[in-house]
Amino acid sequence: MLRIHFTAEDLARTRLAERPDPLWEITASLHRLQSQAGRWAYAGWYRDARAAIASQKLGSVVRTLLIPLFPRASYFPDFLTPAESGQGLRAGLDAVLGTPPDRVRQEIGLLAQVRRVPSEMYRLADQDVRADLVTALRRYHDAVIGPYLDRMQARIDAEGARQSRTLLHGGAEGLLGGLGPAMRWKAPVLEVDYVGGIDRDLRLDGRGLLLIPSYFCWQKPVSFADPDLPPVLLYPLAPAERASRPSPCEAPLSALLGRTRAAVLVAVTYGATNSEIARAVSMSAANASHHTTVLRDAGLIVSHRHANTVLHTLTPLGASLLRLPDREGRDTLQRG
């Protein structure tokens, strides 16, 4: 278990990433390729990824370089997921390339304590060799992560909207208490079920915590091994894939509003802009605007303008349409 210790200052500095972190997602996706765990939730992506790896002749690079460097284990090198990656793929890869050689050698040595690593892996301390790794990471990202970026961003947009409302009503402690079954808030400590059964304490000491919702992370959150690095916690979103056929509780709503407009209403569950709706439902922003106008005129949503952005939220009537009885007659909120 990982125990993250907060002070009042840390609670004030806790924040949520607003976009996918490309190097963390590369890491988690490589873990998905190595395990049957959660395969059902990523079946479509797994099929697409295998095809892309084969068609772009990445199989050897993935097997001999990436998987040994990113094992699904209790440790993989921290320098592979630098904080700069939050600014985008290029910034993250530049940081990997610029890692001091001594740090690379040290972290490869730590990896060798939990996994057998080829001796040539120590050559990554040489920046020219590390440049080949950066090229491989970029090619892998373009092939298997890039095609999914829109849906990843849509999921993170929805998570951000949900957590913003939690923060509004429950503060930082409410947010920390609602992150999922693998994390439990017992003030002033967040207890985290951690990969590999690791048992350790992380004291934030006023640095705050960056929460990174992840599309490919499965079940158990991940953090840096080095407690002196800027504190982050990568945590899993809900399962990434859904059946293409409507569930029983979606069918009545689709019959009433039409499949597309019902999907738009579901996308607004936690509040969404036109661009967020467009990504979630795979339509243009102009079409999203048309559907939100119809839903607003029908009294199902209300729109709030802030600067150049319009945020759509449910009215009580709209929320009631999403609240459908379960098998025992209780109301359940369909959340997409």
Side-chain angles (χ1 to χ4, degrees):
M1 177 184 295
L2 173 66
R3 291 171 295 276
I4 304 177
H5 298 259
F6 287 75
T7 65
E9 188 175 5
D10 293 314
L11 288 173
R13 291 184 173 180
T14 294
R15 59 214 186 276
L16 187 76
E18 60 185 21
R19 61 180 63 89
D21 185 301
L23 285 174
W24 275 113
E25 294 294 1
I26 285 173
T27 301
S29 71
L30 284 165
H31 292 169
R32 301 285 64 74
L33 289 177
Q34 297 174 61
S35 173
Q36 293 285 341
R39 181 68 55 81
W40 61 270
Y42 299 91
W45 171 82
Y46 182 79
R47 188 168 51 248
D48 293 344
R50 291 290 298 270
I53 288 169
S55 67
Q56 299 192 32
K57 297 180 172 54
L58 285 168
S60 177
V61 169
V62 170
R63 287 192 305 273
T64 63
L65 177 60
L66 299 186
I67 285 179
L69 261 181
F70 296 86
R72 187 172 176 269
S74 58
Y75 178 81
F76 54 86
D78 286 333
F79 80 86
L80 297 171
T81 52
E84 292 85 349
S85 181
Q87 302 168 28
L89 180 63
R90 177 178 294 181
L93 293 179
D94 285 348
V96 171
L97 187 60
T99 306
D102 288 348
R103 179 182 171 191
V104 175
R105 279 190 288 266
Q106 178 191 19
E107 293 188 3
I108 296 298
L110 291 173
L111 176 61
Q113 295 178 21
V114 299
R115 280 288 189 272
R116 180 182 176 276
V117 300
S119 59
E120 59 266 23
M121 196 170 289
Y122 286 93
R123 295 179 58 229
L124 287 170
D126 184 328
Q127 192 175 61
D128 290 339
V129 176
R130 204 154 61 252
D132 293 336
L133 168 63
V134 165
T135 297
L137 290 171
R138 182 179 289 109
R139 290 183 62 204
Y140 176 86
H141 182 274
D142 290 347
V144 307
I145 305 292
Y148 277 70
L149 280 177
D150 282 349
R151 70 190 75 185
M152 292 165 67
Q153 185 64 59
R155 296 284 302 286
I156 289 177
D157 287 342
E159 176 72 357
R162 181 177 76 87
Q163 296 293 10
S164 294
R165 284 153 182 73
T166 301
L167 187 65
L168 177 65
H169 295 292
E173 294 194 69
L175 185 154
L176 293 169
L179 290 174
M183 293 166 280
R184 296 163 297 280
W185 174 245
K186 298 181 179 179
V189 177
L190 181 66
E191 295 182 347
V192 180
D193 295 336
Y194 204 70
V195 175
I198 294 293
D199 188 80
R200 66 186 179 98
D201 292 89
L202 173 60
R203 299 186 184 279
L204 300 179
D205 294 329
R207 294 174 294 170
L209 179 69
L210 176 62
L211 296 163
I212 307 176
S214 170
Y215 188 86
F216 288 109
C217 182
W218 177 251
Q219 290 189 328
K220 292 187 177 181
V222 185
S223 185
F224 287 129
D226 185 347
D228 293 329
L229 291 172
V232 303
L233 186 67
L234 188 83
Y235 72 94
L237 293 164
E241 298 291 340
R242 298 181 57 193
S244 58
R245 184 174 59 190
S247 69
C249 56
E250 288 179 296
L253 188 61
S254 296
L256 177 64
L257 298 177
R259 190 179 183 94
T260 299
R261 202 157 288 155
V264 171
L265 188 65
V266 169
V268 178
T269 300
Y270 298 109
T273 64
N274 284 332
S275 60
E276 291 167 353
I277 293 168
R279 284 193 292 265
V281 188
S282 298
M283 63 171 58
S284 69
N287 279 340
S289 179
H290 167 72
H291 288 297
T292 55
T293 297
V294 173
L295 293 172
R296 184 172 58 249
D297 291 345
L300 302 180
I301 67 173
V302 62
S303 303
H304 313 269
R305 178 172 293 278
H306 177 69
N308 295 323
T309 301
V310 177
L311 178 69
H312 307 289
T313 57
L314 296 174
T315 64
L317 177 60
S320 72
L321 283 180
L322 296 181
R323 196 173 295 278
L324 301 167
D326 66 11
R327 292 179 181 176
E328 297 181 8
R330 296 186 296 263
D331 283 345
T332 57
L333 185 62
Q334 170 62 27
R335 293 175 176 171

